[in-house]
Amino acid sequence: MAEAERIIGTPDTPDAAGDGRERPGSGDTGARAGESGSEPTGPAAGASGTGEPEAAAGPAPRGRRRIAVLFAVALFAYALDLISKLIVVAKLEHHPPIEIIGDWLRFEAIRNAGAAFGFGEAFTVIFTMIAAAVIVVIARLARKLYSLPWAIALGLLLGGALGNLTDRIFRAPGVFEGAVVDFIAPKHFAVFNLADSAIVCGGILIVLLSFKGLDPDGTVHKD
């Protein structure tokens, strides 16, 4: 009888029933609790943990975009200057000037051995070295560049410097002594080219940015 009661009564026994149901339930509950517990902690840990990586990794893509802008502007300015000089040499050199706005503006092909706007023709090699140094400085500064206006300004400088440096290297009378092709001739002003214009525009923009206190790394300071 005792054995029969034990066999029959066991399923109705609270302890036995509890043992039979609580273990799977507790295991599922524990698994669910573990899953539900791990889910909130994951994003929480990710939010707090990724705060620093995002802050650290955030400027890097932004810096790469600014560098891309710098080189895109430089490439555009350089290509525009190079194409214009090729056209001037092929179509305008050894030909009469072309009047654009009467006597106020005309296109006239001139070989300039000096700096921008025809200054310092006796220092061609020095100006070539200065242009090369400017390119190196801009390339080094690009690593810390996080400002879009600075990227545009430095891109203009870089494109203009490359345009005139190409003339210095590849045009007559020789390497590092080549004469720059100028063709934009306003009335009562020196003859210049698009590379000179890019350099001047980039320089003016840099002066304005410095006056406003904006640094190349994107920070703003006030004296």
Side-chain angles (χ1 to χ4, degrees), residues 4-5 23 36 38 49 63 68 81 83 86 92 107 125 128-129 141 152 169 186 191 197 201 217 221-222:
E5 289 176 359
R23 285 184 191 136
S36 61
S38 61
D81 177 71
I83 293 172
L86 290 175
L92 190 58
F107 288 164
V125 177
T128 303
M129 296 175 62
L141 186 60
I152 296 173
I169 295 175
V191 183
S197 301
C201 291
D217 60 0
H221 68 276
K222 295 182 179 179

Side-chain angles (χ1 to χ4, degrees), residues 12-223:
D12 299 332
T13 305
D15 295 336
D19 292 339
R21 287 192 296 268
E22 287 178 3
R23 285 184 191 136
S26 62
D28 295 340
T29 306
R32 288 193 299 270
E35 293 174 359
S36 61
S38 61
E39 289 177 1
T41 55
S48 61
T50 56
E52 289 186 8
E54 286 180 0
R62 184 164 61 96
R64 286 193 290 269
R65 288 193 295 269
R66 300 298 182 261
I67 294 174
V69 171
L70 186 155
F71 286 109
V73 172
L75 181 61
F76 177 77
Y78 176 71
L80 206 61
D81 177 71
L82 183 62
I83 293 172
S84 65
K85 289 174 179 176
L86 290 175
I87 295 174
V88 166
V89 171
K91 302 295 184 180
L92 190 58
E93 198 168 35
H94 308 302
H95 289 80
I98 299 176
E99 293 185 351
I100 305 300
I101 308 177
D103 293 336
W104 292 98
L105 178 64
R106 62 182 184 176
F107 288 164
E108 180 181 3
I110 294 177
R111 296 297 182 109
N112 172 27
F117 307 109
F119 298 115
E121 294 186 1
F123 304 98
T124 305
V125 177
I126 295 177
F127 291 135
T128 303
M129 296 175 62
I130 292 174
V134 168
I135 294 172
V136 173
V137 170
I138 293 175
R140 291 177 61 88
L141 186 60
R143 297 180 300 176
K144 300 180 181 179
L145 184 63
Y146 297 103
S147 169
L148 180 60
W150 270 94
I152 296 173
L154 293 178
L156 290 172
L157 281 180
L158 180 59
L162 284 172
N164 284 337
L165 184 61
T166 300
D167 285 355
R168 303 289 188 194
I169 295 175
F170 295 105
R171 296 194 186 277
V175 178
F176 299 122
E177 296 181 355
V180 175
V181 176
D182 290 335
F183 62 94
I184 304 175
K187 188 177 182 180
H188 305 308
F189 196 74
V191 183
F192 59 96
N193 55 41
L194 294 182
D196 298 333
S197 301
I199 292 172
V200 171
C201 291
I204 293 174
L205 184 54
I206 288 176
V207 171
L208 293 176
L209 294 174
S210 301
F211 181 76
K212 293 179 64 175
L214 180 61
D215 292 334
D217 60 0
T219 58
V220 179
H221 68 276
K222 295 182 179 179
D223 294 335

